[in-house]
Amino acid sequence: MRLLHRSRLALGLALVVAALAALPVMAQERGITPTEIILGTTAPLSGPAAPWGATARGIEAYLQYINEQGGIHGRTIRFEIRDDGYQPPRAVANVLELVERVGVFGIVGMIGSANAAAVRDYIFQNEVIWMTPAVESDPWIGNPNIHYLFVTYPNYYQEAKILARYAVQELGKQRVAIIYQNDQYGMNGLRGVRDALAELGMAPVAEVSYELTDVDLSVHALRIGQARADAVILYATPNHGAMAAAALAQLNPRPQILSSFTLADPIMARLAGAAWDGVIVPSYFPYPGTDEKVDRVLQILVERNPELAAMAFNALAGVTFIEPMLEGFRRAGPNLTKESFVAAMESIQNWDGELLRGVTFGPGRRQGINRIFLARMEGGVPHQLTDWIEYPVEY
Amino acid sequence: MQLIQKYEEEMALVRGWAGWMGVALLAAALLAAPWFLRGYQLYIANIIGSKIIVAIGLNLLVGYTGQISLGHVGFVAIGAYAATHFVTAFQKAAAFQWLGGPFWVALLVGGAAAAVFGVLVGLPALRLEGPYLSIVTLGFGLAVQQLLINWPAVSGGRIGLFVPTARIGPWLLNSHQSMYFLVWTCVVLLSLVAFNLTRSHVGRAFVALRDSDIAAEVTGVNLRYYKTLAFAVSAFYAGFGGALEAYVVRYLEPTMFNLYESIYYLAMVVVGGLGTIPGSMFGATLLTLLQFGLSQAQEYLPVVYGAVVILVMTIEPLGLYGRWLKIKLWSKTWPL
Amino acid sequence: MFFWQLVVSGLSIGSLYALVSLGIVLLYRTSRVLNFAHGEMSMIATMVAYSLLTAGGVAFGPAAVLTLAVAFAAGASFYFLVLRPVKEATLLGQIITTAGFALVLSGMAVVIWGADTKVLPFPLSRAVIYNIGGVFVNQVALGSFVVALVAMLGLYLLVQKTRFGLAMRAVSQNDVAARVLGIPVRRVFAVTWGVSATLGAIAGMLLAPVTLVHPSMMFDPFLKGFAGAVLGGLDSLPGAIVGSLIIGVVENLFGGYVSTSLRTTVAFLIIIAVLLVRPEGLFGHKFMRRV
């Protein structure tokens, strides 16, 4: 009897396997039916990078809102999310499944340079629409295969150059150091800082890296203190950014922190407390709390998924990934095909969305935005320091 | 029930007509699979194949020799990177261009490179045991990953390392289907080698030093030789599996080789059944399918994965293979 | 001065590793099980403390006590609910079960509390800095160092000076003999799990102001605690403390003078070197086995 019971369990497992092999839904143009547009993404929803999964949740909540408004030209948008645990092999499996079984029209966003690099060739070969993988720009610059790729994400390298120049030229800092995450994201920041300082005839006085698993950044701060740096450029995740700021705040005199836009998160003031006061942070869309439209979007998201309140920046960033795509759908009209979508996207010129401002694509231009602005944080409230600072369009 | 009369029968891989039927069915299923599975399912099947090879190797170490490795992913990484760099270097040499990268040599190079490190890691094993040994292997796994992160010449730096397509002469193995045949041929071959190893004097020496190394030494088993050999063989399998996985995923990045992966490999071996080769196959298949097939479970995935591990260990302390033995016994005595 | 500053901050993080390490060693001594879920159990306890302090509106003192009680109960019930049923499994099977449990817990943490980083309201502040002979120490580091010392002292008294501690030591030497002598072995195991989880909860709450609270906050402290335990000798409680402090200091000195990117690797290299000279760790007992 017990044996029988357990073999039922085995049967259950077999059914799960069989369900995985279920037949697909085929459409004439992949991912477009008269009533529906199917999009998909793979994101780290579990594992150490899980906070970035909030970008996918933000997209999901925003699309729910769009669907509640009746969708676009009579089509609602279905959004399929897969977990990759920040592992390239799993990201590949997810993208293959989304394209071949689910049959998505496009892949939206994707977190992690490694994951994006692993699926890059497959997506290009199969001519899948790809909206804004949240990675650095290197893989796209000079790449002839990016016809179906559209990116509205700032370039870390260019941003780092702007930060370093601002520290030296506007703030008059003489000893610039950098704390960076030891991965592709941080390395791009490091390269930018080095290059910008070299152009000014200087070099970083300290280059301190940390690992994603590090829990105590006091040594890193002590090294900055030892190098007598008067400005520190920070390329970090929010919790490491907060840890670094708290540790740097114990130095005397305290160096000026300039951070990457990934820390333009309202949560930073809560995580780092007073240590975050005076930090200079760039952004590529208006900060929540300073712009009515942005606040309205955030409200829309939080109403549909209350958990996003604690991850406001990541959720909003998710919306910036998809926002221009929705405009593309609107412009392409009811006869949506892959080519009409590309043509519609290329017609977007200096377009203001709810979050993004001044998005421009065009034939041969896939980089939708090429500017950031800087602000100084005081008590969690940003005070804008500069107007938009542009950098050259690269692809 | 069958009566075993001769030692050869006891040692036979496949027993009786039922056994041969089973093997034939399995072989037919494996051969037919590419025509029934879709692209992404073949990709997952290929990943499973490469994990099976690593798991079998780890089982030779943990299950047969009783030495715990918490850093097996280090060997997997070494195999993957060694194979990729070998092929790339080979392709650059003009004289050999017409050959493409001879992937079969690359797979062996991957395995051999890992085996060299296996011997090195095995040396402390001569003095250490249990958790003390596990911390050495853990340190090794972490060190490999950290070195890769900090050594851009090897890891490919900011954009990672792309793996060239495997090719046999002019025939490019660029589809999941062709990779499927490559991977599963390797799985079958390496499983047979492992089977034969375990039923040879080497396998018996492994088991002897697992059960009691002092007693084994007294009976004339050369501890130093066999412990090191176990590490080398196990690392070879890991490196070979890693090289295959590199060809399947076609991209390498140090984050792929983190501590969690080592624990997943260990879980495959234990969930499948320690000291049995089919067990490693079951374990690697089940746990890889869970991870790759249930990505729709999203943030619940680790919960499901962990719960399955606990469940298997609760219902079946000997792992899936123990369950398989019971089912076999039950079917033999049926309809009693 | 830079040197001493590094040493002091190394001791301060090392004392937290030591708390993690003690929980691991306590359990290993008694049951020979390496608990891979130790870090995740501490993380969940910290999440519980977070919920009590924010959503629950409980004051810090009562919340901390309540959290420790919850951790104790959870540790003991983990033994009864999960580890007892797998007692037939091999030792490695039990260890893998704890690893499976670790995955379940980290998944649950994301599902229940979300993956975002949180701040545990803490009565001490990092912004308050004391100058002790030219070396700067912040209030949190000082406070957690003191609490860690008190916890270690409490553990010492429990193990060495109480009847229960005697039972624990008896079980760790030979659980069959202990059972014959009428020691309630299962209860001893359960309480040991409870105490170990409580130590973990203290470590988690003290780490919270440094690492902030998120589902993978305990990954590295667990690893360092485990390494410290092995370095000191897995069956020695003082060894765990010394080993963890050494790791904290070495890591900081290497990070301060050489490189911050390979410091974990170097910490492990040193451990391996020590183990090659003393295979049973700095304070561990030599292996003795019957053949």
Side-chain angles (χ1 to χ4, degrees):
Chain A
M1 194 56 215
R2 279 176 70 205
L3 270 175
L4 205 76
H5 185 70
R6 286 181 199 165
S7 61
R8 214 177 292 158
L9 206 134
L11 191 75
L13 273 177
L15 280 178
V16 170
V17 175
L20 289 174
L23 282 170
V25 194
M26 292 299 279
Q28 283 201 317
E29 176 94 39
R30 189 186 58 228
I32 301 171
T33 71
T35 57
E36 210 177 38
I37 302 171
I38 310 171
L39 301 174
T41 194
T42 165
L45 296 166
S46 65
W52 295 106
T55 54
R57 294 290 176 219
I59 299 174
E60 189 182 39
Y62 193 67
L63 289 178
Q64 193 187 334
Y65 160 76
I66 296 288
N67 289 342
E68 284 162 14
Q69 310 292 307
I72 295 171
H73 296 303
R75 291 191 181 94
T76 55
I77 298 169
R78 192 171 109 207
F79 189 53
E80 296 277 344
I81 305 177
R82 299 286 182 273
D83 172 36
D84 57 37
Y86 214 48
Q87 283 296 301
R90 283 166 66 188
V92 173
N94 290 343
V95 167
L96 291 175
E97 193 241 4
L98 286 170
V99 172
E100 293 171 13
R101 191 182 73 83
V102 179
V104 293
F105 176 72
I107 301 287
V108 183
M110 251 182 90
I111 305 294
S113 311
N115 290 2
V119 301
R120 186 182 79 181
D121 290 348
Y122 174 83
I123 289 187
F124 287 164
Q125 273 160 23
N126 291 276
E127 301 184 338
V128 181
I129 301 279
W130 198 6
M131 272 311 292
T132 312
V135 301
E136 72 283 356
S137 304
D138 293 0
W140 323 130
I141 295 169
N143 193 322
N145 303 317
I146 57 172
H147 185 64
Y148 296 101
L149 171 87
F150 296 91
V151 179
T152 49
Y153 195 70
N155 182 335
Y156 300 133
Y157 169 75
Q158 298 287 356
E159 177 205 39
K161 286 181 89 166
I162 291 171
L163 288 175
R165 268 190 230 122
Y166 189 82
V168 175
Q169 292 174 336
E170 305 293 326
L171 303 176
K173 301 294 180 188
Q174 292 301 314
R175 305 182 63 82
V176 181
I178 175 169
I179 295 183
Y180 64 100
Q181 182 166 307
N182 200 357
D183 65 1
Q184 295 170 354
Y185 155 65
M187 295 296 229
N188 268 288
L190 175 65
R191 201 165 54 101
V193 171
R194 275 184 189 160
D195 287 2
L197 290 180
E199 283 163 18
L200 297 166
M202 298 161 69
V205 291
E207 297 172 354
V208 183
S209 70
Y210 75 89
E211 306 290 328
L212 204 50
T213 51
D214 281 351
V215 291
D216 179 25
L217 297 189
S218 48
V219 188
H220 306 68
L222 287 175
R223 282 189 78 133
I224 298 289
Q226 188 73 355
R228 291 180 290 114
D230 52 9
V232 177
I233 292 170
L234 193 57
Y235 272 75
T237 59
N239 63 325
H240 285 102
M243 281 153 63
L248 287 170
Q250 307 196 3
L251 295 179
N252 191 16
R254 203 171 129 180
Q256 170 69 45
I257 301 175
L258 301 97
S259 93
S260 160
F261 74 88
T262 54
L263 301 185
D265 195 330
I267 201 177
M268 290 307 297
R270 223 163 357 113
L271 296 184
W276 202 246
D277 283 346
V279 172
I280 293 174
V281 190
S283 183
Y284 66 106
F285 64 89
Y287 291 100
T290 62
D291 184 279
E292 261 177 46
K293 282 182 173 175
V294 174
D295 290 346
R296 199 177 71 89
V297 173
L298 185 56
Q299 195 192 339
I300 287 169
L301 300 184
V302 173
E303 275 166 14
R304 280 155 191 82
N305 185 350
E307 283 180 13
L308 294 179
M311 296 178 270
F313 175 78
N314 284 357
L316 288 173
V319 177
T320 67
F321 300 166
I322 194 152
E323 205 184 7
M325 184 177 215
L326 300 177
E327 177 64 12
F329 289 148
R330 285 185 202 108
R331 291 188 183 198
N335 291 324
L336 181 63
T337 62
K338 199 156 75 181
E339 295 311 324
S340 76
F341 173 76
V342 171
M345 288 300 282
E346 287 179 345
S347 77
I348 291 177
Q349 298 287 326
N350 207 8
W351 170 76
D352 286 347
E354 308 246 21
L355 300 183
L356 291 172
R357 308 291 151 83
V359 179
T360 302
F361 290 109
R365 176 168 175 182
R366 291 294 178 263
Q367 187 177 24
I369 53 166
N370 61 319
R371 57 185 200 177
I372 54 174
F373 66 89
L374 305 184
R376 182 191 293 275
M377 307 300 285
E378 295 295 345
V381 183
H383 299 279
Q384 192 161 341
L385 287 177
T386 69
D387 203 356
W388 291 105
I389 304 173
E390 290 204 0
Y391 50 83
V393 179
E394 296 161 303
Y395 55 97
Chain B
M1 290 299 263
Q2 72 191 114
L3 184 65
I4 293 172
Q5 289 167 307
K6 279 188 277 182
Y7 183 65
E8 286 75 35
E9 284 175 25
E10 168 72 27
M11 285 287 101
L13 270 185
V14 184
R15 277 181 221 149
W17 66 271
W20 282 110
M21 282 288 286
V23 170
L25 270 176
L26 189 68
L30 278 178
L31 272 176
W35 283 274
F36 291 99
L37 296 180
R38 302 166 60 79
Y40 77 97
Q41 290 163 329
L42 279 173
Y43 168 79
I44 296 176
N46 295 343
I47 296 271
I48 290 175
S50 68
K51 301 260 184 212
I52 284 180
I53 292 177
V54 181
I56 289 178
L58 184 59
N59 202 354
L60 288 176
L61 187 69
V62 180
Y64 283 89
T65 328
Q67 322 213 53
I68 299 174
S69 167
L70 281 181
H72 233 55
V73 81
F75 299 123
V76 177
I78 289 171
Y81 279 95
T84 307
H85 282 293
F86 172 79
V87 172
T88 321
F90 204 87
Q91 277 179 343
K92 278 193 193 133
F96 299 109
Q97 223 133 55
W98 58 277
L99 264 175
F103 69 87
W104 59 86
V105 187
L107 294 177
L108 293 174
V109 166
V116 171
F117 282 89
V119 172
L120 289 179
V121 176
L123 291 179
L126 302 176
R127 270 176 77 77
L128 304 175
E129 56 184 55
Y132 296 92
L133 175 59
S134 74
I135 204 89
V136 172
T137 53
L138 177 76
F140 167 74
L142 289 172
V144 170
Q145 197 200 1
Q146 285 213 325
L147 284 174
L148 284 173
I149 291 173
N150 291 296
W151 195 0
V154 173
S155 64
R158 278 181 296 112
I159 49 165
L161 194 64
F162 289 88
V163 183
T165 313
R167 60 192 281 184
I168 305 175
W171 185 39
L172 272 178
L173 299 181
N174 57 358
S175 69
H176 296 302
Q177 214 164 47
S178 47
M179 276 309 290
Y180 174 87
F181 286 110
L182 169 65
V183 170
W184 284 88
T185 310
C186 294
V187 171
V188 170
L189 287 178
L190 285 176
S191 314
L192 282 176
V193 171
F195 263 125
N196 282 330
L197 192 73
T198 54
R199 54 189 191 145
S200 68
H201 68 281
V202 177
R204 287 193 294 275
F206 283 176
V207 172
L209 63 93
R210 171 192 68 193
D211 293 341
S212 166
D213 54 354
I214 298 175
E217 197 170 22
V218 169
T219 51
V221 174
N222 184 340
L223 274 193
R224 193 177 305 169
Y225 176 74
Y226 282 105
K227 276 193 174 176
T228 318
L229 182 70
F231 260 98
V233 172
S234 180
F236 178 88
Y237 272 73
F240 197 99
L244 267 183
E245 192 178 338
Y247 273 121
V248 173
V249 182
R250 310 234 340 247
Y251 177 73
L252 295 175
E253 220 274 346
T255 50
M256 288 163 65
F257 306 100
N258 58 28
L259 173 66
Y260 289 106
E261 296 295 309
S262 288
I263 293 175
Y264 293 149
Y265 284 123
L266 206 56
M268 288 170 192
V269 170
V270 176
V271 163
L274 280 171
T276 69
I277 285 161
S280 300
M281 296 176 176
F282 293 153
T285 309
L286 173 70
L287 293 187
T288 313
L289 260 184
L290 273 180
Q291 236 185 8
F292 282 76
L294 285 185
S295 59
Q296 292 180 57
Q298 298 172 3
E299 51 264 74
Y300 287 90
L301 183 68
V303 181
V304 176
Y305 189 98
V308 167
V309 170
I310 296 177
L311 203 69
V312 172
M313 294 321 295
T314 314
I315 308 178
E316 198 46 79
L318 294 178
L320 295 172
Y321 188 71
R323 171 60 32 192
W324 168 244
L325 284 183
K326 282 178 195 165
I327 291 172
K328 262 198 346 198
L329 196 68
W330 176 75
S331 69
K332 273 182 191 162
T333 52
W334 192 82
L336 283 177
Chain C
M1 210 35 68
F2 183 56
F3 174 81
W4 289 111
Q5 190 71 56
L6 287 172
V7 170
V8 165
S9 82
L11 286 176
S12 118
I13 191 79
S15 66
L16 299 181
Y17 295 160
L19 275 179
V20 177
S21 179
L22 283 175
I24 297 170
V25 169
L26 191 67
L27 208 58
Y28 180 81
R29 262 163 57 109
T30 324
S31 61
R32 301 287 145 194
V33 171
L34 269 179
N35 179 17
F36 271 103
H38 190 72
E40 264 68 20
M41 287 164 84
S42 317
M43 178 269 295
I44 293 280
T46 316
M47 292 281 186
V48 169
Y50 170 79
S51 287
L52 286 173
L53 285 165
T54 53
V58 187
F60 188 83
V65 173
L66 212 55
T67 303
L68 298 190
V70 169
F72 183 88
S77 49
F78 172 69
Y79 172 72
F80 278 118
L81 296 179
V82 185
L83 219 58
R84 272 298 286 175
V86 299
K87 68 175 191 305
E88 286 171 48
T90 54
L91 199 55
L92 196 57
Q94 299 186 20
I95 292 173
I96 286 300
T97 307
T98 66
F101 190 59
L103 275 177
V104 172
L105 288 180
S106 73
M108 297 291 285
V110 175
V111 172
I112 298 174
W113 283 281
D116 57 304
T117 307
K118 301 167 178 64
V119 179
L120 188 78
F122 204 74
L124 306 178
S125 162
R126 291 188 78 177
V128 181
I129 298 164
Y130 304 106
N131 184 341
I132 304 172
V135 172
F136 296 97
V137 186
N138 68 57
Q139 206 181 24
V140 170
L142 205 63
S144 54
F145 193 75
V146 171
V147 175
L149 280 183
V150 170
M152 289 168 200
L153 190 71
L155 185 67
Y156 170 78
L157 293 177
L158 176 75
V159 174
Q160 297 294 338
K161 302 286 172 193
T162 63
R163 276 180 69 81
F164 180 77
L166 191 66
M168 243 161 128
R169 279 179 287 153
V171 171
S172 77
Q173 281 190 354
N174 187 335
D175 64 331
V176 179
R179 199 177 311 232
V180 172
L181 288 172
I183 294 173
V185 171
R186 260 191 299 177
R187 214 180 305 158
V188 170
F189 275 140
V191 172
T192 310
W193 272 93
V195 173
S196 163
T198 311
L199 283 171
I202 299 176
M205 281 191 288
L206 292 180
L207 273 163
V210 184
T211 67
L212 305 172
V213 182
H214 55 91
S216 42
M217 63 179 279
M218 290 302 292
F219 176 83
D220 195 61
F222 169 71
L223 219 56
K224 300 288 162 59
F226 180 30
V230 173
L231 180 62
L234 257 175
D235 54 356
S236 158
L237 292 170
I241 298 170
V242 175
S244 303
L245 291 177
I246 291 179
I247 288 189
V249 172
V250 163
E251 204 181 60
N252 264 16
L253 288 179
F254 185 80
Y257 286 111
V258 190
S259 152
T260 47
S261 56
L262 283 172
R263 52 193 198 133
T264 306
T265 302
V266 170
F268 273 91
L269 280 180
I270 289 169
I271 293 168
I272 293 171
V274 170
L275 288 182
L276 286 178
V277 182
R278 279 189 67 87
E280 63 283 345
L282 292 174
F283 293 84
H285 294 96
K286 275 208 158 37
F287 309 118
M288 302 273 217
R289 270 175 311 156
R290 251 179 255 270
V291 179

